[in-house]
Amino acid sequence: MVAPVSERHRLTIRSVDTDPRARQLVAGAEVLGLPEVDRVQVADVVHLDGDLSSDELQLLHRVLVDPLLQTGSWDAPAGRAVEIALLPGVTDPGADAVHHAADQLDLTVDFAATGLRIEFDDAIGDADIDTIVTRLVANPIIERWAHGVIEPQPPGTDAAPTAASTVAIRGLDDDALAAVDAERSLSLDPEELRAVRDHFEASGREPTDAELETLAQTWSEHCAHKTFRAVITADGDDGTMERIPLLTQLRHCTDEIDAPFVRSAFVGNAGVVEFAKGTTIAIKAETHNHPSAVEPFGGANTGVGGVIRDVLGIAHRPIAVTDVLCFGPADLPMTELPEGALHPRRIRDGVVDGVADYGNKIGLPTVAGAILYDRAYTTNPLVFAGCVGTAPSRALHDGPNVGDRVLVLGGATGRDGIRGATFSSATMNATTGEVAGASVQIGDPIVEKLLIDALVGAEDLYSAITDCGAGGLSSAIGEMAEGVGADVDLAAVPRKYPGLEPWEVWLSEAQERMVIAVAPRNVSAIQQRCDRVGVDCADVGVFTGDGRLLVRLGDERIVDLDLEFLHDGRPQRHLPAEMPQPNRSEPIGRTVDDPIATLHALLRHPNIASKAATIHRYDHEIRGTTVVRPLVGAAGDGPADGVVLAEPLDQHGIAIGIGVNPWYGLHDPEAMAFAAVDEAMRNVVAVGGDPDAVALLDNFSWGDPRRPSTLGELVAAVDGCCAAAFTFNAPFVSGKDSLNNEYVGGDGERHAVPPTLVITAVAHVPDIDRCVTPDLVEPGNVLMVVGQTSVEFAGSHLDLVHGAPDDPGVAPAPDPDAAGRYRRLHEAIQAGLIVSCHDVSEGGLAVAIAEMCIAGRLGATIESLPHADQAVALFAESCGRLVVEVEERSVPALQRILSDAATRLGVVNDHGTLELPDLDPVPIGDLADSFDRRDGLGAIGGVA
């Protein structure tokens, strides 16, 4: 054996062929106006400490370097380069993999870290290198960088403090309380700060830092939904009146619908339904907006991980993921980028990378979603992540019980994600990225996969379960202990590194952790399951029954709070709402000089154009249950309406559909909300879902609700949601609101997102063999449009392409007959009368027919249009409409079922052209070329 070499070792790993990240950097440099940057090399770097011999290093080399695709060297690199390393304490999954490999090889590695090396040739100046690194690669929120080589910094070796600090708030006036709020980033209202002060004045002591932070997280907008629980005074035609709290409205709506398949709604981590006897389905959708704005990869990555844990936290096995993403324009000039914001391309690439990384690595298909672009999302990207899970039908857990042990399972605790709940509840500005670094988490999907393996099948061993998300242990244990009480010892919580203060351990939002309540007799069984898969299991305390939350570090008290005050002591918000006054009576048409050119422009619009470049980043078929995929048709490039999963089994399945159109909300928020529900319903019905067995999720992303006009839009949107739910008899079972999605620029101006409501519909598919897709199937078949077309253009994509007039007219109105029509259409699908089906949404009828032609690579001869005005017939976006393909012989039967609600359009042809009345034929290949407009995914970023 050769003698050990130095303790610090460095392995540089390069691709045998050109690294795709290098190509992304070259493309990004060109966008930055640096076309001469055409030769860049990217390498991965592994740092490790340990007394390792050369033979042992070679052993590690064989494990860490793929000889077919990579080369590796332990020698110090030379040449011009910049190296990027993670900041101390940031989660480093690559380093964890190195430690795991070393353990498997029985080698001792004391410390490991990973980084990135970017090598430039001598023709590139230092200033250009700095521009490339700062604009395209390094994110100061989580990384540091330097020219040449960089040495990793361990997160610290200091001993952890053993006492909590106190924060003086007794006797403070409003100004002094506001100063404490700002100093600690609590994001509490003045009334809430007074309530905290008064509580501790009555207790005769000052709060500890951990107690104050616990209250701030629990009372945050993110956790407490205090706007949706507020008393709202709204103006209206009948004067000023007090409104029922928004969350109460949604819950009452679900209660009144009283759908027999709902097992649990608005309780716990996710909604639960039972469409087919013997199997329950858990559904949840979350937002991760603010984190994705400052660290796109980590924000989206942990958004996916968090919503997966929500489903796991209702004792269901996750089976699929969804995502809806909203970005600023990918071609936004750098000169128009607000101060302190990342470029939309970089945000988009990082978010897509983050979604793909988590879903693909954890082994779940990403099956449904949407991508929207608008200037208003430039500084406020929106990331909606959803998850669906299944479980054998059983009673939901009703613990914890007094005497149950508090077990924390999964990843270790570090400084990542501290104050994430309050950060997500605040308005961002140009300095947000500089101060919010600790609010960003980095995920580790492999650990979460092991956590799933440990918990699925262990349902009989615990009495309660929740995920450790916003607020960390403070929220997870604090919520579980409500009405019971808990005594927790932080000394038992596994840490990633030493030096954490007690309040940091308690508040950290480190990922991949779950909390369960376990009877003492079952603790060893849980421990054995965790040992088998290789995840931590820590017994940190007990549920006491005394109604208090006691958190200790050994014998030192860190938190001692009355749980009734923690959960019910927050003053209810009272907010004024200024209700919108939309135009609903004066429809205004449009003049379209060149309908064919307009159709091409619509197909090229980034909101409508193919999302294949993104969809192919995700594995949407893993697990082998995806019956209807996101892309369908002859060439696998046609957009599906909804997707279908073959779970539950025995011919049953579930359909998932998405509805979102914020541009309607700029004109009529109530109609926008109804339209979003309608679109989600159409998407599931179009693929074979039963409209009488649909559960809905709502996700609101809004601006600052303390502005009366913004709150009025939110109130109107909730009205629209409830009206639509009653119309379709489809209950909401879970939801999430993300407010304060605003950015204060360097000029002091506020930039808010448009009112963005995402509706997810999950429907029962009674027979997966009866599913249909939008691709045209057979020449000679008849095309029919189901539903009515009206003069409705406000918020339309026609206006996004051509520009809206000063008075845009009316937004698409609710269709009161849609629910009955969807039931009859479902009957026709089950009877085998429908050959293909596609909903009419963005871009109107012309886009819907073009997409069907593209998907099937067949033409269509349209003989008549559903409205006398050509522009209205082709481009209006009226709700409640679908295009169906039927065999000629089935037309009479379909019309009988639909009660003449279907209008004949024309026939499928084999000419390879789309033929519209009075217009020249359009080759389907030309339409496909416009639709397949590459969105440049990966052109900027993707390296950081």
Side-chain angles (χ1 to χ4, degrees), residues 786-812:
V786 179
Q788 302 301 314
T789 303
S790 302
V791 185
E792 297 169 325
F793 284 102
S796 68
H797 273 67
L798 181 70
D799 283 357
L800 292 183
V801 167
H802 287 313
D806 293 338
D807 186 351
V810 301

Side-chain angles (χ1 to χ4, degrees), residues 893-942:
L894 178 65
Q895 290 180 321
R896 284 195 300 272
I897 291 175
L898 291 176
S899 303
D900 296 322
T903 302
R904 184 182 179 114
L905 295 172
V907 297
V908 180
N909 70 48
D910 57 1
H911 310 160
T913 57
L914 171 59
E915 300 164 9
L916 298 169
D918 303 320
L919 298 172
D920 292 335
V922 190
I924 301 306
D926 292 352
L927 295 175
D929 288 343
S930 292
F931 180 70
D932 194 33
R933 170 189 180 272
R934 296 296 176 181
D935 60 5
L937 185 66
I940 276 192

Side-chain angles (χ1 to χ4, degrees), residues 327-329 332 336-338 341-342 344 347 374-381:
F327 306 121
L332 183 76
E336 299 180 22
L337 186 66
L342 298 176
I347 292 175
D374 190 277
R375 274 185 173 266
Y377 297 125
T378 297
T379 51
N380 293 277

Side-chain angles (χ1 to χ4, degrees), residues 755-770:
T756 306
L757 168 65
V758 172
I759 298 294
T760 305
V762 178
H764 180 222
V765 177
D767 186 350
I768 58 175
D769 288 337
R770 291 292 188 183

Side-chain angles (χ1 to χ4, degrees), residues 569-795:
R570 179 183 59 80
Q572 188 176 21
R573 269 185 172 176
H574 288 73
L575 297 172
E578 181 182 303
M579 299 301 293
Q581 301 295 321
N583 171 22
R584 295 180 179 171
S585 60
E586 299 180 14
I588 296 174
R590 299 291 188 271
T591 299
V592 177
D593 295 330
D594 190 339
I596 299 302
T598 295
L599 175 56
H600 280 290
L602 286 165
L603 290 172
R604 287 193 297 267
H605 192 283
N607 292 336
I608 296 176
S610 173
K611 305 303 185 296
T614 299
I615 292 170
H616 287 310
R617 294 292 311 280
Y618 310 145
D619 189 332
H620 50 267
E621 296 189 75
I622 193 169
R623 302 186 73 250
T625 65
T626 312
V627 177
V628 176
R629 301 161 180 79
L631 296 172
V632 299
D637 60 355
D641 291 311
V643 296
V644 176
L645 301 174
E647 296 198 32
L649 302 177
D650 300 327
Q651 290 299 111
H652 292 276
I654 53 175
I656 305 170
I658 304 292
V660 56
N661 197 316
W663 300 279
Y664 299 162
L666 297 173
H667 304 279
D668 191 334
E670 184 177 0
M672 178 269 287
F674 198 108
V677 175
D678 193 327
E679 182 182 15
M681 291 291 298
R682 290 197 308 275
N683 284 339
V684 294
V685 170
V687 293
D690 182 354
D692 285 323
V694 179
L696 301 175
L697 305 176
D698 62 79
N699 284 94
F700 296 85
S701 282
W702 241 249
D704 188 346
R706 287 164 292 194
R707 185 167 49 247
S709 60
T710 300
L711 181 60
E713 294 170 349
L714 183 60
V715 172
V718 172
D719 287 344
C721 282
C722 292
F726 282 124
T727 297
F728 295 109
N729 208 40
F732 286 97
V733 297
S734 183
K736 185 71 176 68
D737 58 281
S738 172
L739 308 179
N740 301 299
N741 288 286
E742 300 194 353
Y743 187 94
V744 180
D747 57 0
E749 292 293 320
R750 284 179 171 262
H751 308 274
V753 299
T756 306
L757 168 65
V758 172
I759 298 294
T760 305
V762 178
H764 180 222
V765 177
D767 186 350
I768 58 175
D769 288 337
R770 291 292 188 183
C771 291
V772 293
T773 52
D775 43 312
L776 297 181
V777 173
E778 185 67 35
N781 284 347
V782 175
L783 293 175
M784 308 183 78
V785 61
V786 179
Q788 302 301 314
T789 303
S790 302
V791 185
E792 297 169 325
F793 284 102

Side-chain angles (χ1 to χ4, degrees), residues 55-56 137 202 266 302 350 357 617 675 767 813 943:
D55 288 347
E56 290 171 329
V137 186
F266 296 105
T302 53
D357 177 84
R617 294 292 311 280
D767 186 350
V943 174

